[in-house]
PDB file of all heavy atoms in Angstrom:
ATOM      1  N   GLN A  39     -31.752  39.676 -29.287  1.00 93.00           N
ATOM      2  CA  GLN A  39     -31.459  38.275 -28.967  1.00 93.00           C
ATOM      3  C   GLN A  39     -30.545  37.691 -30.041  1.00 93.00           C
ATOM      4  O   GLN A  39     -30.474  38.238 -31.123  1.00 93.00           O
ATOM      5  CB  GLN A  39     -32.747  37.442 -28.977  1.00 93.00           C
ATOM      6  CG  GLN A  39     -33.820  37.882 -28.033  1.00 93.00           C
ATOM      7  CD  GLN A  39     -33.550  37.390 -26.615  1.00 93.00           C
ATOM      8  OE1 GLN A  39     -32.584  36.660 -26.378  1.00 93.00           O
ATOM      9  NE2 GLN A  39     -34.377  37.808 -25.669  1.00 93.00           N
ATOM     10  N   GLY A  40     -29.942  36.567 -29.755  1.00 94.00           N
ATOM     11  CA  GLY A  40     -29.141  35.888 -30.774  1.00 94.00           C
ATOM     12  C   GLY A  40     -28.063  35.052 -30.114  1.00 94.00           C
ATOM     13  O   GLY A  40     -27.926  35.070 -28.885  1.00 94.00           O
ATOM     14  N   PRO A  41     -27.295  34.327 -30.932  1.00 97.00           N
ATOM     15  CA  PRO A  41     -26.290  33.416 -30.362  1.00 97.00           C
ATOM     16  C   PRO A  41     -25.224  34.108 -29.513  1.00 97.00           C
ATOM     17  O   PRO A  41     -24.614  33.482 -28.636  1.00 97.00           O
ATOM     18  CB  PRO A  41     -25.636  32.762 -31.594  1.00 97.00           C
ATOM     19  CG  PRO A  41     -26.168  33.471 -32.787  1.00 97.00           C
ATOM     20  CD  PRO A  41     -27.383  34.233 -32.383  1.00 97.00           C
ATOM     21  N   LEU A  42     -25.013  35.410 -29.745  1.00 98.00           N
ATOM     22  CA  LEU A  42     -23.985  36.102 -28.955  1.00 98.00           C
ATOM     23  C   LEU A  42     -24.339  36.115 -27.469  1.00 98.00           C
ATOM     24  O   LEU A  42     -23.456  36.003 -26.610  1.00 98.00           O
ATOM     25  CB  LEU A  42     -23.814  37.539 -29.488  1.00 98.00           C
ATOM     26  CG  LEU A  42     -22.758  38.389 -28.775  1.00 98.00           C
ATOM     27  CD1 LEU A  42     -21.368  37.765 -28.870  1.00 98.00           C
ATOM     28  CD2 LEU A  42     -22.721  39.818 -29.364  1.00 98.00           C
ATOM     29  N   ALA A  43     -25.636  36.231 -27.164  1.00 97.00           N
ATOM     30  CA  ALA A  43     -26.050  36.288 -25.762  1.00 97.00           C
ATOM     31  C   ALA A  43     -25.611  35.019 -25.034  1.00 97.00           C
ATOM     32  O   ALA A  43     -25.012  35.078 -23.950  1.00 97.00           O
ATOM     33  CB  ALA A  43     -27.566  36.462 -25.681  1.00 97.00           C
ATOM     34  N   LYS A  44     -25.846  33.873 -25.647  1.00 98.00           N
ATOM     35  CA  LYS A  44     -25.490  32.614 -24.991  1.00 98.00           C
ATOM     36  C   LYS A  44     -23.965  32.482 -24.865  1.00 98.00           C
ATOM     37  O   LYS A  44     -23.446  32.084 -23.820  1.00 98.00           O
ATOM     38  CB  LYS A  44     -26.069  31.433 -25.778  1.00 98.00           C
ATOM     39  CG  LYS A  44     -25.685  30.121 -25.153  1.00 98.00           C
ATOM     40  CD  LYS A  44     -26.403  28.935 -25.723  1.00 98.00           C
ATOM     41  CE  LYS A  44     -26.098  27.646 -24.972  1.00 98.00           C
ATOM     42  NZ  LYS A  44     -24.732  27.434 -24.559  1.00 98.00           N
ATOM     43  N   ALA A  45     -23.265  32.861 -25.948  1.00 98.00           N
ATOM     44  CA  ALA A  45     -21.799  32.741 -25.928  1.00 98.00           C
ATOM     45  C   ALA A  45     -21.204  33.605 -24.813  1.00 98.00           C
ATOM     46  O   ALA A  45     -20.259  33.197 -24.129  1.00 98.00           O
ATOM     47  CB  ALA A  45     -21.226  33.137 -27.290  1.00 98.00           C
ATOM     48  N   LEU A  46     -21.772  34.794 -24.598  1.00 98.00           N
ATOM     49  CA  LEU A  46     -21.259  35.670 -23.534  1.00 98.00           C
ATOM     50  C   LEU A  46     -21.595  35.104 -22.167  1.00 98.00           C
ATOM     51  O   LEU A  46     -20.775  35.139 -21.240  1.00 98.00           O
ATOM     52  CB  LEU A  46     -21.862  37.076 -23.681  1.00 98.00           C
ATOM     53  CG  LEU A  46     -21.299  37.921 -24.830  1.00 98.00           C
ATOM     54  CD1 LEU A  46     -22.214  39.108 -25.120  1.00 98.00           C
ATOM     55  CD2 LEU A  46     -19.883  38.409 -24.517  1.00 98.00           C
ATOM     56  N   SER A  47     -22.807  34.575 -22.057  1.00 97.00           N
ATOM     57  CA  SER A  47     -23.190  34.042 -20.759  1.00 97.00           C
ATOM     58  C   SER A  47     -22.399  32.763 -20.451  1.00 97.00           C
ATOM     59  O   SER A  47     -22.024  32.520 -19.305  1.00 97.00           O
ATOM     60  CB  SER A  47     -24.701  33.923 -20.734  1.00 97.00           C
ATOM     61  OG  SER A  47     -25.118  32.703 -20.346  1.00 97.00           O
ATOM     62  N   ASP A  48     -22.051  31.977 -21.479  1.00 97.00           N
ATOM     63  CA  ASP A  48     -21.173  30.815 -21.273  1.00 97.00           C
ATOM     64  C   ASP A  48     -19.803  31.244 -20.735  1.00 97.00           C
ATOM     65  O   ASP A  48     -19.093  30.457 -20.131  1.00 97.00           O
ATOM     66  CB  ASP A  48     -20.945  30.054 -22.585  1.00 97.00           C
ATOM     67  CG  ASP A  48     -22.185  29.270 -23.013  1.00 97.00           C
ATOM     68  OD1 ASP A  48     -23.114  29.144 -22.182  1.00 97.00           O
ATOM     69  OD2 ASP A  48     -22.232  28.813 -24.173  1.00 97.00           O
ATOM     70  N   ARG A  49     -19.430  32.492 -21.005  1.00 97.00           N
ATOM     71  CA  ARG A  49     -18.135  32.986 -20.510  1.00 97.00           C
ATOM     72  C   ARG A  49     -18.260  33.659 -19.143  1.00 97.00           C
ATOM     73  O   ARG A  49     -17.358  34.347 -18.693  1.00 97.00           O
ATOM     74  CB  ARG A  49     -17.507  33.930 -21.529  1.00 97.00           C
ATOM     75  CG  ARG A  49     -16.844  33.146 -22.667  1.00 97.00           C
ATOM     76  CD  ARG A  49     -16.632  33.994 -23.888  1.00 97.00           C
ATOM     77  NE  ARG A  49     -16.026  33.219 -24.968  1.00 97.00           N
ATOM     78  CZ  ARG A  49     -16.648  32.307 -25.715  1.00 97.00           C
ATOM     79  NH1 ARG A  49     -17.926  32.016 -25.470  1.00 97.00           N
ATOM     80  NH2 ARG A  49     -16.034  31.658 -26.685  1.00 97.00           N
ATOM     81  N   GLY A  50     -19.414  33.509 -18.518  1.00 96.00           N
ATOM     82  CA  GLY A  50     -19.555  33.954 -17.133  1.00 96.00           C
ATOM     83  C   GLY A  50     -20.099  35.353 -16.957  1.00 96.00           C
ATOM     84  O   GLY A  50     -20.179  35.847 -15.835  1.00 96.00           O
ATOM     85  N   LEU A  51     -20.484  36.032 -18.029  1.00 97.00           N
ATOM     86  CA  LEU A  51     -21.017  37.382 -17.894  1.00 97.00           C
ATOM     87  C   LEU A  51     -22.517  37.331 -17.633  1.00 97.00           C
ATOM     88  O   LEU A  51     -23.188  36.390 -18.080  1.00 97.00           O
ATOM     89  CB  LEU A  51     -20.777  38.195 -19.178  1.00 97.00           C
ATOM     90  CG  LEU A  51     -19.445  38.957 -19.217  1.00 97.00           C
ATOM     91  CD1 LEU A  51     -18.322  37.977 -19.465  1.00 97.00           C
ATOM     92  CD2 LEU A  51     -19.475  40.023 -20.291  1.00 97.00           C
ATOM     93  N   SER A  52     -23.043  38.312 -16.921  1.00 96.00           N
ATOM     94  CA  SER A  52     -24.505  38.389 -16.901  1.00 96.00           C
ATOM     95  C   SER A  52     -24.910  39.203 -18.118  1.00 96.00           C
ATOM     96  O   SER A  52     -24.346  40.253 -18.407  1.00 96.00           O
ATOM     97  CB  SER A  52     -25.025  38.994 -15.599  1.00 96.00           C
ATOM     98  OG  SER A  52     -24.357  40.186 -15.337  1.00 96.00           O
ATOM     99  N   VAL A  53     -25.860  38.661 -18.859  1.00 98.00           N
ATOM    100  CA  VAL A  53     -26.223  39.254 -20.152  1.00 98.00           C
ATOM    101  C   VAL A  53     -27.638  39.812 -20.081  1.00 98.00           C
ATOM    102  O   VAL A  53     -28.571  39.136 -19.648  1.00 98.00           O
ATOM    103  CB  VAL A  53     -26.136  38.191 -21.273  1.00 98.00           C
ATOM    104  CG1 VAL A  53     -26.488  38.809 -22.623  1.00 98.00           C
ATOM    105  CG2 VAL A  53     -24.748  37.572 -21.325  1.00 98.00           C
ATOM    106  N   ILE A  54     -27.771  41.061 -20.487  1.00 97.00           N
ATOM    107  CA  ILE A  54     -29.086  41.698 -20.526  1.00 97.00           C
ATOM    108  C   ILE A  54     -29.390  41.980 -21.994  1.00 97.00           C
ATOM    109  O   ILE A  54     -28.574  42.561 -22.710  1.00 97.00           O
ATOM    110  CB  ILE A  54     -29.099  43.028 -19.750  1.00 97.00           C
ATOM    111  CG1 ILE A  54     -28.597  42.799 -18.317  1.00 97.00           C
ATOM    112  CG2 ILE A  54     -30.471  43.677 -19.749  1.00 97.00           C
ATOM    113  CD1 ILE A  54     -27.238  43.313 -18.057  1.00 97.00           C
ATOM    114  N   THR A  55     -30.550  41.539 -22.452  1.00 95.00           N
ATOM    115  CA  THR A  55     -30.946  41.825 -23.827  1.00 95.00           C
ATOM    116  C   THR A  55     -32.078  42.834 -23.804  1.00 95.00           C
ATOM    117  O   THR A  55     -33.075  42.634 -23.111  1.00 95.00           O
ATOM    118  CB  THR A  55     -31.415  40.528 -24.515  1.00 95.00           C
ATOM    119  OG1 THR A  55     -30.368  39.578 -24.401  1.00 95.00           O
ATOM    120  CG2 THR A  55     -31.682  40.768 -25.988  1.00 95.00           C
ATOM    121  N   SER A  56     -31.922  43.909 -24.559  1.00 90.00           N
ATOM    122  CA  SER A  56     -32.927  44.966 -24.552  1.00 90.00           C
ATOM    123  C   SER A  56     -34.263  44.460 -25.078  1.00 90.00           C
ATOM    124  O   SER A  56     -34.309  43.659 -26.006  1.00 90.00           O
ATOM    125  CB  SER A  56     -32.473  46.137 -25.410  1.00 90.00           C
ATOM    126  OG  SER A  56     -33.527  47.053 -25.527  1.00 90.00           O
ATOM    127  N   ARG A  57     -35.339  44.958 -24.483  1.00 80.00           N
ATOM    128  CA  ARG A  57     -36.676  44.629 -24.989  1.00 80.00           C
ATOM    129  C   ARG A  57     -37.038  45.536 -26.156  1.00 80.00           C
ATOM    130  O   ARG A  57     -38.048  45.378 -26.798  1.00 80.00           O
ATOM    131  CB  ARG A  57     -37.719  44.829 -23.877  1.00 80.00           C
ATOM    132  CG  ARG A  57     -37.543  43.892 -22.721  1.00 80.00           C
ATOM    133  CD  ARG A  57     -38.735  43.923 -21.795  1.00 80.00           C
ATOM    134  NE  ARG A  57     -38.878  45.222 -21.129  1.00 80.00           N
ATOM    135  CZ  ARG A  57     -39.989  45.938 -21.132  1.00 80.00           C
ATOM    136  NH1 ARG A  57     -41.041  45.507 -21.782  1.00 80.00           N
ATOM    137  NH2 ARG A  57     -40.059  47.093 -20.491  1.00 80.00           N
ATOM    138  N   TRP A  58     -36.202  46.559 -26.404  1.00 73.00           N
ATOM    139  CA  TRP A  58     -36.606  47.627 -27.312  1.00 73.00           C
ATOM    140  C   TRP A  58     -35.855  47.663 -28.636  1.00 73.00           C
ATOM    141  O   TRP A  58     -36.134  48.501 -29.479  1.00 73.00           O
ATOM    142  CB  TRP A  58     -36.395  48.982 -26.623  1.00 73.00           C
ATOM    143  CG  TRP A  58     -37.107  49.067 -25.344  1.00 73.00           C
ATOM    144  CD1 TRP A  58     -36.581  48.883 -24.100  1.00 73.00           C
ATOM    145  CD2 TRP A  58     -38.501  49.306 -25.159  1.00 73.00           C
ATOM    146  NE1 TRP A  58     -37.540  49.008 -23.150  1.00 73.00           N
ATOM    147  CE2 TRP A  58     -38.735  49.271 -23.777  1.00 73.00           C
ATOM    148  CE3 TRP A  58     -39.560  49.556 -26.035  1.00 73.00           C
ATOM    149  CZ2 TRP A  58     -40.000  49.472 -23.241  1.00 73.00           C
ATOM    150  CZ3 TRP A  58     -40.805  49.765 -25.501  1.00 73.00           C
ATOM    151  CH2 TRP A  58     -41.020  49.720 -24.123  1.00 73.00           C
ATOM    152  N   GLY A  59     -34.894  46.763 -28.806  1.00 65.00           N
ATOM    153  CA  GLY A  59     -33.977  46.926 -29.936  1.00 65.00           C
ATOM    154  C   GLY A  59     -34.475  46.434 -31.275  1.00 65.00           C
ATOM    155  O   GLY A  59     -33.792  46.582 -32.282  1.00 65.00           O
ATOM    156  N   ILE A  60     -35.647  45.853 -31.321  1.00 59.00           N
ATOM    157  CA  ILE A  60     -36.144  45.255 -32.553  1.00 59.00           C
ATOM    158  C   ILE A  60     -36.029  46.263 -33.692  1.00 59.00           C
ATOM    159  O   ILE A  60     -36.562  47.359 -33.633  1.00 59.00           O
ATOM    160  CB  ILE A  60     -37.631  44.869 -32.431  1.00 59.00           C
ATOM    161  CG1 ILE A  60     -37.957  44.240 -31.085  1.00 59.00           C
ATOM    162  CG2 ILE A  60     -38.079  43.998 -33.593  1.00 59.00           C
ATOM    163  CD1 ILE A  60     -37.189  43.096 -30.601  1.00 59.00           C
ATOM    164  N   GLY A  61     -35.330  45.883 -34.755  1.00 60.00           N
ATOM    165  CA  GLY A  61     -35.270  46.761 -35.927  1.00 60.00           C
ATOM    166  C   GLY A  61     -33.991  47.562 -36.010  1.00 60.00           C
ATOM    167  O   GLY A  61     -33.498  47.823 -37.091  1.00 60.00           O
ATOM    168  N   LEU A  62     -33.390  47.896 -34.874  1.00 62.00           N
ATOM    169  CA  LEU A  62     -32.213  48.752 -34.930  1.00 62.00           C
ATOM    170  C   LEU A  62     -31.012  48.086 -35.613  1.00 62.00           C
ATOM    171  O   LEU A  62     -30.339  48.717 -36.430  1.00 62.00           O
ATOM    172  CB  LEU A  62     -31.821  49.217 -33.516  1.00 62.00           C
ATOM    173  CG  LEU A  62     -30.723  50.258 -33.508  1.00 62.00           C
ATOM    174  CD1 LEU A  62     -31.161  51.503 -34.265  1.00 62.00           C
ATOM    175  CD2 LEU A  62     -30.336  50.616 -32.090  1.00 62.00           C
ATOM    176  N   PRO A  63     -30.741  46.810 -35.347  1.00 59.00           N
ATOM    177  CA  PRO A  63     -29.595  46.204 -36.019  1.00 59.00           C
ATOM    178  C   PRO A  63     -29.719  46.234 -37.541  1.00 59.00           C
ATOM    179  O   PRO A  63     -28.731  46.138 -38.244  1.00 59.00           O
ATOM    180  CB  PRO A  63     -29.580  44.770 -35.486  1.00 59.00           C
ATOM    181  CG  PRO A  63     -30.192  44.891 -34.126  1.00 59.00           C
ATOM    182  CD  PRO A  63     -31.286  45.926 -34.313  1.00 59.00           C
ATOM    183  N   ARG A  64     -30.940  46.371 -38.053  1.00 61.00           N
ATOM    184  CA  ARG A  64     -31.095  46.401 -39.507  1.00 61.00           C
ATOM    185  C   ARG A  64     -31.050  47.814 -40.081  1.00 61.00           C
ATOM    186  O   ARG A  64     -31.139  47.999 -41.269  1.00 61.00           O
ATOM    187  CB  ARG A  64     -32.382  45.673 -39.923  1.00 61.00           C
ATOM    188  CG  ARG A  64     -32.135  44.184 -40.163  1.00 61.00           C
ATOM    189  CD  ARG A  64     -33.372  43.356 -39.989  1.00 61.00           C
ATOM    190  NE  ARG A  64     -33.760  43.312 -38.603  1.00 61.00           N
ATOM    191  CZ  ARG A  64     -33.150  42.550 -37.684  1.00 61.00           C
ATOM    192  NH1 ARG A  64     -32.130  41.800 -38.013  1.00 61.00           N
ATOM    193  NH2 ARG A  64     -33.537  42.573 -36.424  1.00 61.00           N
ATOM    194  N   PHE A  65     -30.905  48.813 -39.212  1.00 63.00           N
ATOM    195  CA  PHE A  65     -30.740  50.194 -39.660  1.00 63.00           C
ATOM    196  C   PHE A  65     -29.398  50.266 -40.387  1.00 63.00           C
ATOM    197  O   PHE A  65     -28.347  50.006 -39.824  1.00 63.00           O
ATOM    198  CB  PHE A  65     -30.751  51.112 -38.424  1.00 63.00           C
ATOM    199  CG  PHE A  65     -30.509  52.550 -38.736  1.00 63.00           C
ATOM    200  CD1 PHE A  65     -31.428  53.289 -39.463  1.00 63.00           C
ATOM    201  CD2 PHE A  65     -29.355  53.179 -38.294  1.00 63.00           C
ATOM    202  CE1 PHE A  65     -31.203  54.623 -39.733  1.00 63.00           C
ATOM    203  CE2 PHE A  65     -29.116  54.507 -38.562  1.00 63.00           C
ATOM    204  CZ  PHE A  65     -30.039  55.226 -39.285  1.00 63.00           C
ATOM    205  N   ARG A  66     -29.437  50.605 -41.704  1.00 66.00           N
ATOM    206  CA  ARG A  66     -28.232  50.430 -42.511  1.00 66.00           C
ATOM    207  C   ARG A  66     -27.208  51.528 -42.264  1.00 66.00           C
ATOM    208  O   ARG A  66     -27.525  52.619 -41.845  1.00 66.00           O
ATOM    209  CB  ARG A  66     -28.610  50.393 -43.991  1.00 66.00           C
ATOM    210  CG  ARG A  66     -29.418  49.156 -44.362  1.00 66.00           C
ATOM    211  CD  ARG A  66     -29.855  49.257 -45.795  1.00 66.00           C
ATOM    212  NE  ARG A  66     -28.702  49.323 -46.666  1.00 66.00           N
ATOM    213  CZ  ARG A  66     -28.085  48.257 -47.154  1.00 66.00           C
ATOM    214  NH1 ARG A  66     -28.530  47.068 -46.871  1.00 66.00           N
ATOM    215  NH2 ARG A  66     -27.039  48.401 -47.935  1.00 66.00           N
ATOM    216  N   ARG A  67     -25.940  51.182 -42.569  1.00 67.00           N
ATOM    217  CA  ARG A  67     -24.853  52.107 -42.306  1.00 67.00           C
ATOM    218  C   ARG A  67     -24.919  53.361 -43.161  1.00 67.00           C
ATOM    219  O   ARG A  67     -24.370  54.381 -42.816  1.00 67.00           O
ATOM    220  CB  ARG A  67     -23.522  51.416 -42.597  1.00 67.00           C
ATOM    221  CG  ARG A  67     -23.212  50.361 -41.599  1.00 67.00           C
ATOM    222  CD  ARG A  67     -22.191  49.438 -42.167  1.00 67.00           C
ATOM    223  NE  ARG A  67     -21.539  48.769 -41.057  1.00 67.00           N
ATOM    224  CZ  ARG A  67     -20.256  48.560 -41.003  1.00 67.00           C
ATOM    225  NH1 ARG A  67     -19.464  48.959 -41.961  1.00 67.00           N
ATOM    226  NH2 ARG A  67     -19.724  47.952 -39.977  1.00 67.00           N
TER     227      ARG A  67
END
Side-chain angles (χ1 to χ4, degrees):
Q39 301 280 356
L42 181 60
K44 178 170 186 319
L46 286 164
S47 129
D48 287 348
R49 281 161 181 74
L51 271 75
S52 50
V53 181
I54 306 106
T55 305
S56 172
R57 295 192 294 127
W58 304 99
I60 318 307
L62 188 61
R64 271 155 290 283
F65 177 67
R66 293 175 61 88
R67 290 161 158 222

